[in-house]
């Protein structure tokens, strides 16, 4: 059985397509170039981890925030800082959907079209946005403002249908509300996420993801609407969890492993259960279980 | 009897500026830590073990037991990694928790790290949630400033550093060993086990990986104790948990209840199905858990109850679909997701999901071919149990269960497109509004 699906090559070639920026192979000028300040920030990210390579994902986010995509210059810089080859860094960059190869618009607009949102209206919102902006998925509007993308479930299904702008939540959208958001963004008008801060830009968002705070944490609510659905009912009816007792009574019954195994109900758990054997192995059988 | 809803984790979400340290402390935040620093680490592990807390990330493995697997005589540093990747379709509990009350998680991380004797912890949060990343970073910063993190926490002699690490978009990174590879700066692909993370996890050191909700439940357990925790929930599924209701229900959202509540009760609280609609199918715990139908409304939503009817409690992501929904369209979209997210490491999943999408696409178009149903079932049986990780298994769940309960719809798909049988416009959130106005 072989697959001839261009979208999912079983062994994606990590290097091809990542070292050059145009089909003809010529390097487009990167704007701006990665300067000494960025290099210092990249190094500071590497310093946050016991092993520097762990910083690669954040570093690539930072590259995107500076250059608007993952450039070959960015890859080379990360590789040099981490002592990796360019190919190793490329292999990582191509694996994750948030890293973009093509130049991005000022704003990234993602419409959730996973099942729940799609059915609740996400498909229609996406189609209407495509029509309105005259682009398809992974394309950028002519004015360079909006890059549109279908996104997977963004962990906000209770707010379906959901749209993300620069990875901020725009909950319970309609085609009309989504178009309005996009038009305001293009006009440079202020736009506030429904659960989040005012919209900055995709690049600025990438900088926060890389690991640098932007001072907008206190904007937006703690929780609204669906997040409070159960709590509101509990408040109304006077329902609470039992109150805390004075101190934990620590009955030390403890469960047997067999019991635990029987209770854990998926293969995920099964593989975790077997973990218990291993510590004993490495301890040279110290565990008497 | 406890109340029907028992807000513990969600209890402070309506607090003014709940995400700040000040607001969290106003509601008793970090009291559990103050107790925990006086409790011996082994006793903390015993406490969580005895509480019966089971992992809330999908598998339900006992949390305290997982902690006890960390070999304390191993000279390597120990690590705690919080799985905040929340990407299983339908799952939407950890993100609102971290948005509203990131300190609940941070406090849990500090206590759990003390228990397993980790001096470095990581919160691996999916990258697609900017504001949650902000809230987490700010909470960690505030916790350092308050002396809850860093050297000599509250004079206990223990130290801890927390790194908030944003991922970059890949469902598979929620799988715990793929997450570790990703956190090491690699492509997120699952690792061969053994060795298990408890022995050789992050940087080949002993590592505990727990879900956000699991860790966030720990402070309450420290404060309330074993009996308090066990006073909620059922015999083998103890405690409170967050159920996430979404779809064609009047009031979708987060409902925190003792384990064992039923969908009927939850739907009742949620105002019932939306107007004129009746329940057709639902997922108990995300798209990787086999779908159920109206005949399962009274199944207790705990680990045992849901597995007794052939599904899994999973992440307690109750996605509810009404009679306007095409089961073929739903299953196709989920399968496209698995195909897209398959990491490509093993053949059954990589190839199988691709083929399943091809077949479901033609069924969706009403162009099914004789034998397609059997072909789908055959593909599923070649993936289930034969894939390298549970993503492949999960990909088969919607298909096999949908055929089980809605075979006639698959048969209809030999001749009729899904959109003719179930016009998509009728399913949308704005459909009713449009009709009414
Ligand atoms: C494909 C796949 C995706 C997963 N995604 C998540 C996730 O986003 N969050 C999570 O906590 N667990 C996820 N898991 C389960 C983890 O592998 C692991 O069981 C869990 O993090 C353990 O934490 P717990 O014991 O506290 O539940 C996923 C598993 C698989 C196979
Ligand atoms: S089952 Fe799928 S996701 Fe898991 S290792 Fe195999 S190809 Fe990768
Ligand atoms: S399906 Fe859209 S956020 Fe979950």
């Amino acid at each position: 059985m072989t697959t001839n699906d261009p979208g999912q090559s079983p062994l994606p070639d990590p290097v091809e397509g990542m070292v050059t920026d145009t089909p003809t192979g010529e390097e487009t000028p990167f704007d701006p170039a990665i300067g000494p300040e960025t290099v210092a920030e990249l190094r500071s990210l590497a310093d946050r981890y016991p092993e520097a390579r762990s910083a690669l994902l954040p570093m690539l986010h930072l590259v995107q925030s500076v250059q608007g995509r993952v450039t070959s210059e960015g890859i080379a810089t990360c590789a040099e800082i981490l002592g990796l080859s360019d190919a190793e860094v490329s292999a990582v960059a191509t694996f994750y959907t948030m890293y973009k190869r093509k130049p991005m618009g000022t704003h990234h607009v993602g419409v959730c079209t996973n099942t729940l949102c799609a059915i609740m209206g996400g498909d229609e919102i996406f189609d209407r946005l495509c029509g309105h902006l005259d682009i398809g998925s992974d394309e950028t509007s002519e004015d360079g403002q909006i890059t549109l993308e279908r996104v997977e479930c963004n962990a906000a299904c209770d707010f379906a249908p959901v749209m993300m702008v620069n990875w901020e939540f725009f909950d319970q959208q309609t085609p009309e509300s989504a178009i309005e958001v996009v038009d305001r963004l293009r006009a440079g008008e202020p736009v506030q996420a429904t659960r989040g801060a005012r919209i900055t830009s995709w690049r600025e968002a990438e900088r926060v993801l890389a690991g640098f705070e932007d001072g907008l944490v206190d904007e937006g609510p703690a929780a609204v609407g669906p997040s409070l659905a159960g709590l509101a009912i509990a408040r109304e009816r006077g329902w609470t969890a039992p109150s805390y007792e004075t101190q934990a009574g620590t009955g030390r019954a403890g469960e047997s492993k067999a019991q635990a195994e029987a209770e854990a109900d998926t293969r995920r758990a099964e593989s975790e259960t077997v973990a218990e054997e291993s510590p004993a192995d490495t301890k040279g059988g110290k565990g008497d279980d | 009897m406890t109340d029907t809803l028992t807000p513990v984790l969600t209890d402070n979400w309506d607090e003014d500026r709940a995400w700040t340290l000040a607001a969290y402390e106003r509601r008793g935040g970090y009291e559990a830590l103050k107790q925990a620093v006086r409790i011996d680490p082994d006793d903390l592990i015993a406490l969580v073990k005895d509480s019966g807390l089971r992992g809330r990330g999908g598998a339900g493995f006992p949390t305290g037991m997982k902690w006890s697997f960390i070999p304390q005589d191993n000279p390597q540093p120990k690590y705690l990694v919080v799985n905040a990747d929340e990407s299983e379709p339908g799952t939407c509990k950890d993100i609102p928790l971290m948005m509203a009350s990131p300190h609940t998680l941070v406090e849990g991380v500090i206590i759990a790290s003390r228990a397993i004797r980790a001096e470095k912890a990581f919160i691996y949060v999916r990258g697609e949630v900017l504001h949650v990343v902000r809230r987490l970073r700010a909470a960690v910063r505030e916790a350092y400033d308050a002396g809850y993190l860093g050297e000599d926490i509250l004079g206990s002699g223990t130290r801890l550093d927390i790194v908030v690490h944003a991922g970059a978009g890949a469902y598979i990174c929620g799988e715990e060993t793929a997450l570790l590879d990703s956190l090491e700066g690699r492509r997120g692909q699952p690792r061969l086990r053994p060795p298990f993370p408890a022995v050789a996890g992050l940087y080949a050191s002993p590592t505990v990986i727990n879900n956000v909700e699991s860790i966030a439940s720990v402070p309450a357990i420290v404060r309330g104790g074993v009996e308090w925790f066990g006073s909620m929930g059922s015999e083998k599924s103890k405690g409170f948990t967050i159920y996430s209701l979404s779809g064609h229900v009047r009031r979708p959202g987060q409902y925190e209840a003792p384990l064992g509540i039923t969908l009927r009760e939850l739907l009742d609280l949620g105002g019932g199905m939306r107007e004129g609609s009746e329940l057709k199918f639902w997922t108990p715990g995300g798209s990787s858990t086999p779908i159920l139908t109206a005949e399962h409304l009274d199944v207790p939503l705990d680990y045992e109850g849901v597995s007794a009817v052939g599904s899994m409690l999973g992440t307690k992501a109750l996605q509810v679909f009404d009679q306007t929904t095409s089961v073929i369209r739903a299953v196709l979209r989920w399968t496209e997701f698995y195909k897209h997210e398959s990491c490509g490491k093993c053949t059954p999943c990589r190839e199988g999901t691709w083929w399943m999408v091809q077949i479901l696409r033609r069924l969706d178009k009403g162009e099914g071919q004789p034998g397609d149903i059997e072909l789908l079932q055959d593909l599923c049986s070649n993936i289930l149990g034969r894939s390298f990780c549970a993503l492949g298994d999960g990909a088969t769940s919607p298909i096999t269960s949908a055929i089980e309960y809605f075979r006639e719809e698959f048969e209809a798909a030999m001749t009729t497109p899904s959109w003719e049988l179930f016009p998509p416009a009728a399913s949308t959130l704005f459909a009713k509004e449009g009709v009414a106005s």
Side-chain angles (χ1 to χ4, degrees):
Chain A
M1 211 191 262
T2 54
T3 157
N4 51 4
D5 174 26
Q8 191 201 15
S9 142
L11 292 169
D13 185 328
V15 185
E16 276 310 310
M18 286 304 289
V19 287
T20 57
D21 284 285
T22 64
T24 51
E26 72 214 49
E27 295 270 310
T28 52
F30 304 122
D31 182 33
I34 292 182
E37 267 162 54
T38 302
V39 171
E41 284 184 340
L42 288 168
R43 285 190 199 284
S44 79
L45 290 174
D47 289 341
R48 294 183 187 183
Y49 295 84
E51 294 186 11
R53 182 171 178 163
S54 280
L56 182 50
L57 267 57
M59 289 165 77
L60 290 168
H61 281 304
L62 190 65
V63 165
Q64 296 206 117
S65 81
V66 175
Q67 302 198 306
R69 62 183 145 145
V70 174
T71 59
S72 51
E73 184 190 18
I75 286 172
T77 311
C78 292
E80 196 190 315
I81 291 171
L82 298 177
L84 300 170
S85 68
D86 290 7
E88 285 173 300
V89 173
S90 293
V92 173
T94 50
F95 187 82
Y96 298 92
T97 54
M98 288 178 79
Y99 297 132
K100 305 301 182 191
R101 231 353 233 167
K102 289 192 283 187
M104 291 286 286
T106 307
H107 303 288
H108 174 266
V109 172
V111 179
C112 176
T113 55
N114 202 301
T115 303
L116 196 283
C117 278
I119 285 169
M120 299 303 288
D123 277 355
E124 198 175 325
I125 292 170
F126 182 78
D127 290 346
R128 292 277 296 277
L129 282 179
C130 286
H132 185 70
L133 296 168
D134 198 22
I135 51 177
S137 195
D138 288 320
E139 291 178 8
T140 300
S141 59
E142 220 171 63
D143 59 8
Q145 287 292 315
I146 310 286
T147 301
L148 186 63
E149 193 186 3
R150 291 172 177 276
V151 299
E152 297 297 0
C153 175
N154 222 94
C157 323
D158 49 342
F159 289 94
V162 173
M163 179 171 83
M164 307 300 295
V165 176
N166 305 333
W167 306 117
E168 292 267 26
F169 289 107
F170 286 75
D171 301 320
Q172 289 166 333
Q173 293 296 293
T174 62
E176 294 72 33
S177 67
I179 286 172
E180 192 192 323
V181 167
V182 165
D183 282 346
R184 290 176 65 93
L185 289 170
R186 296 168 87 193
E189 290 168 25
V191 175
Q192 182 87 25
T194 52
R195 272 182 305 145
R198 88 191 95 100
I199 295 305
T200 52
S201 68
W202 178 76
R203 289 195 189 199
E204 284 165 273
E206 280 293 315
R207 183 172 170 83
V208 177
L209 296 180
F212 301 97
E213 292 193 72
D214 65 357
L216 299 181
V217 63
D218 290 332
E219 289 195 13
V224 285
S227 299
L228 297 175
L231 187 61
I233 294 171
R235 295 274 190 263
E236 215 176 272
R237 306 195 186 175
W239 288 341
T240 59
S243 65
Y244 292 131
E245 306 288 345
T246 35
Q247 172 51 33
T250 32
R252 286 288 186 78
E255 295 169 86
S256 77
K257 280 166 295 165
Q259 232 173 316
E261 235 168 280
E263 287 165 27
D265 65 6
T266 68
R267 191 169 152 226
R268 295 175 197 176
E270 213 174 279
S271 52
E272 280 154 23
T273 314
V274 192
E276 97 200 63
E277 248 96 61
S278 312
D281 288 347
T282 56
K283 285 187 289 192
K286 183 191 160 214
D288 56 1
D289 40 36
Chain B
M1 264 305 281
T2 47
D3 290 336
T4 310
L5 294 175
T6 50
V8 176
L9 297 172
T10 55
D11 193 41
N12 62 334
W13 291 10
D14 59 355
E15 185 86 350
D16 186 37
R17 293 164 58 86
W19 64 89
T20 60
L21 179 65
Y24 186 62
E25 289 189 318
R26 249 191 337 265
R27 295 289 294 267
Y30 289 102
E31 286 305 316
L33 177 63
K34 286 168 195 163
Q35 291 175 28
V37 291
R38 296 195 307 268
I39 303 175
D40 181 77
D42 284 333
D43 292 338
L44 279 175
I45 294 178
L47 170 71
V48 173
K49 215 173 184 174
D50 295 347
S51 75
L53 173 67
R54 297 171 62 174
R56 304 295 194 229
F61 190 79
T63 304
M65 185 161 298
K66 188 184 272 191
W67 295 3
S68 71
F69 294 157
I70 294 292
Q72 288 301 338
D73 55 356
N74 185 320
Q76 302 260 66
K78 323 284 183 290
Y79 295 108
L80 176 70
V81 178
V82 176
N83 190 341
D85 195 53
E86 191 161 71
S87 311
E88 163 87 4
T91 309
C92 51
K93 63 192 176 70
D94 299 338
I95 293 301
L97 188 154
M98 294 184 288
M99 179 84 94
S101 188
H103 281 286
T104 311
L105 177 62
V106 171
E107 185 178 14
V109 168
I110 304 169
I111 297 170
S113 297
R114 175 175 170 82
I116 65 163
R117 280 144 280 202
E119 298 192 338
K120 190 112 188 166
F122 298 87
I123 300 174
Y124 185 107
V125 56
R126 65 181 299 183
E128 302 98 321
V129 287
L130 177 63
H131 210 54
V132 169
V133 173
R134 285 195 186 103
R135 293 259 161 102
L136 284 171
R137 290 200 197 290
V140 167
R141 169 171 45 76
E142 283 187 305
Y144 271 108
D145 292 346
Y148 298 141
L149 284 173
E151 304 279 350
D152 194 21
I153 295 166
L154 297 175
S156 65
T158 46
R159 63 158 301 143
L160 179 69
D161 289 306
I162 297 182
V163 175
V164 175
H165 183 95
Y171 166 59
I172 188 59
C173 291
E175 195 282 333
E176 55 180 20
T177 61
L179 187 152
L180 293 177
D181 260 36
S182 179
L183 186 50
E184 290 181 3
R186 300 168 200 281
R187 298 161 74 93
Q189 290 188 313
R191 295 178 178 176
L192 190 67
R193 281 166 283 212
F196 290 88
V199 186
L202 187 66
Y203 313 129
S205 290
T207 303
V208 163
I209 302 146
N210 271 130
N211 171 257
V212 169
E213 190 190 344
S214 312
I215 293 294
S217 299
V218 169
I221 292 172
V222 169
R223 289 190 70 189
V226 167
E227 263 146 53
W228 172 83
F229 190 70
S231 73
M232 290 168 272
S234 48
E235 198 199 328
K236 290 181 171 173
S237 303
K238 291 198 193 308
F240 50 82
T241 196
I242 302 176
Y243 293 92
S244 310
L245 204 51
S246 64
H248 293 132
V249 48
R250 241 187 223 113
R251 279 195 297 272
Q254 309 300 323
Y255 295 81
E256 190 174 7
L259 277 154
I261 195 169
T262 65
L263 180 63
R264 187 185 300 281
E265 292 173 278
L266 284 166
L267 278 179
D268 234 35
L269 294 168
M273 298 293 287
R274 64 176 186 163
E275 195 161 336
S277 114
E278 65 192 69
L279 176 61
K280 180 175 177 182
F281 64 96
W282 54 291
T283 66
S287 60
S288 303
T289 59
I291 62 169
L292 297 173
T293 66
E295 75 185 79
H296 305 107
L297 271 167
D298 295 309
V299 169
L301 296 174
D302 58 14
Y303 298 97
E304 292 70 32
V306 184
S307 72
V309 294
S311 189
M312 287 171 274
L313 184 64
T315 56
K316 304 150 287 131
L318 308 156
Q319 307 174 87
V320 171
F321 300 92
D322 72 11
Q323 79 285 355
T324 64
T325 315
S326 157
V327 78
I328 305 269
R329 178 180 174 214
V331 170
L332 166 61
R333 197 59 62 90
W334 279 321
T335 309
E336 285 173 332
F337 167 81
Y338 291 110
K339 175 200 156 256
H340 181 249
E341 299 298 327
S342 166
C343 82
K345 181 167 181 146
C346 71
T347 315
C349 167
R350 184 186 64 231
E351 306 283 321
T353 52
W354 187 87
W355 280 105
M356 294 193 304
V357 165
Q358 306 310 305
I359 297 162
L360 284 163
R361 277 196 185 144
R362 64 185 184 230
L363 286 165
D364 189 50
K365 282 192 276 191
E367 295 167 5
Q369 296 167 8
D372 271 357
I373 300 175
E374 293 68 30
L375 189 54
L376 277 175
Q377 288 173 319
D378 187 49
L379 280 163
C380 286
S381 65
N382 276 302
I383 297 173
L384 186 69
R386 294 195 165 95
S387 320
F388 193 83
C389 84
L391 185 147
D393 297 346
T396 69
S397 293
I399 298 177
T400 41
S401 55
I403 296 175
E404 180 182 348
Y405 297 117
F406 299 98
R407 195 179 179 100
E408 70 288 350
E409 233 175 282
F410 284 80
E411 273 152 13
M414 304 294 160
T415 49
T416 320
S418 73
W419 54 85
E420 279 179 19
L421 290 173
F422 302 94
S427 300
T428 64
L429 182 69
F430 30 87
K432 294 288 159 179
E433 292 163 15
V435 172
S437 54

